[in-house]
Amino acid sequence: MTAARRGLDRAGLEGLHTKLGAHVESGAVPGLTALVARGDDVHVEVLGTPASDDRTPLRRDAIFRIASLSKPIGAAATMMLVDDGVMSVADPVDKFLPELADRRVLRSLESPLSDTVPAVRPITVEDLLTFRLGFGSIMAPPGTYPIQNAEAELGLMTLGPPWPPPPFGADEWIARFGTLPLLEQPGSTWRYNTGAQVLSVLIERASGQPLEAFLRERLFGPLGMRDTSFSVQADKLDRFTTAYMPNLETGGLDVLDEPRTGWWSAPAAMGNLAGMLVSTLDDFWAFVSMLLAGGQHNGEQVLSRGAVAEMTRDHLTAAQRAGSPPFLSGNEGWGYCMVAPGPLDGEPPVPWGFGWNGGTGTVWSSDPVRGLTGILLTQRAMNSPEPPSHFVDFWDGAYGAIGV
């Protein structure tokens, strides 16, 4: 197949522009940056403004809160340490996180925290990467179960949105987390989110460096991700967008986080790879491009091909996939801190591949079957795991731009 035949259709891209523009013109999405790529053909859209009350045109290098798109970056950082031989994915985490040794497990989700049994084995590095450590999101209102109340009292911010960030550092966070029992036996069940937050502490301990320093040296620097960080420097605040949360009663948008005085305006006490990075379209595309190239960037092997392969393949059992809704659909699996293609009969759905969504209104997927990558960064937060209409239209437009 020629390079041209692997590219994007111009008429289809015009349709994508129209679909995205409609959401911006209606005010449903104040601004967005989007990228669609197939082979060497890369198309970018920059629409709207940095805030609803700011009519300045949005810039391509606008900075967004990428929320759970932080998670795959955490997986890549972990696998760099595996490549270095510092640890293996099969290793118990106890060596670096003694706070998590000798775990206890709740007898049932309804149990008081004192009603536990011993863990049958230690938590491993791969348990964290695949979100099977035995702790994570509970699909019930806050306060339904005793463990939810205990987590909230400790201020861990791991069973729901990660903001506002806890006022204490990584050592205090893991010490507090270590006082809680697990919800299930390690390796048995998939539960969202907490694995990535624990990885944040593991990377720091295993590397012997502050988390952001390690990321800057090993990942952000080599990939040229100059604007990816856990906070936004003062000289970059003019490019930092305002974040919004939909108001279900009024139908409008309420400010979630303001750039100059918000949660990202100063370094947090703890770097949290579960959902607290900021980035730009081109920064995140550099990260995705590295994965698509088998871990290479500008001829340098940043991450081993084997590490990328493990990150982007499904690791779940059929039972674990069955227990993953509403986060994963029936034909989706889970790789390392991201969705991965699961078992499939017939034509792959749209979108399809490996990637993930961010609760602040960000999305990425790379389709290995059709050779298509899409990245969308917006300021409109999600109300549920169900994709909002601008996500749906983005993917309709992106797949409609696949050339023949």
Side-chain angles (χ1 to χ4, degrees), residues 89-174:
V89 297
D91 285 345
V93 301
D94 304 7
K95 175 181 178 182
F96 299 107
L97 303 176
E99 298 91 340
L100 301 188
D102 302 319
R103 292 290 79 205
R104 304 289 299 183
V105 181
L106 286 176
R107 195 175 299 276
S108 73
L109 194 57
E110 295 81 8
S111 297
L113 270 64
S114 59
D115 186 12
T116 63
V117 298
V120 297
R121 66 164 176 82
I123 298 169
T124 67
V125 175
E126 187 165 71
D127 290 335
L128 300 182
L129 289 163
T130 59
F131 290 10
R132 296 182 294 187
L133 73 157
F135 201 97
S137 294
I138 298 171
M139 291 296 101
T144 302
Y145 301 108
I147 189 69
Q148 292 172 293
N149 293 328
E151 187 273 343
E153 289 172 6
L154 291 171
L156 299 177
M157 305 303 290
T158 192
L159 294 181
W163 46 77
F168 42 82
D171 290 341
E172 177 67 17
W173 189 91
I174 200 69

Side-chain angles (χ1 to χ4, degrees), residues 201-260:
V201 189
L202 178 69
I203 294 165
E204 196 162 88
R205 296 266 183 93
S207 68
Q209 296 178 261
L211 179 59
E212 186 150 354
F214 177 78
L215 294 170
R216 185 76 48 205
E217 177 184 321
R218 295 295 301 276
L219 193 61
F220 300 160
L223 297 183
M225 299 170 67
R226 291 181 290 272
D227 294 318
T228 304
S229 180
F230 290 111
S231 62
V232 181
Q233 297 173 4
D235 61 351
K236 298 181 179 181
L237 286 171
D238 62 327
R239 293 190 281 124
F240 193 24
T241 56
T242 299
Y244 297 92
M245 176 65 73
N247 186 313
L248 298 181
E249 294 183 1
T250 67
L253 295 176
D254 295 337
V255 173
L256 174 66
D257 187 70
E258 197 278 329
R260 295 187 177 276

Side-chain angles (χ1 to χ4, degrees), residues 62-64 66 225 227-228 277-281 283-284 377:
I63 299 172
F64 292 82
I66 64 171
M225 299 170 67
D227 294 318
T228 304
L277 284 174
V278 298
S279 193
T280 65
L281 184 68
D283 272 18
F284 200 76
L377 306 181

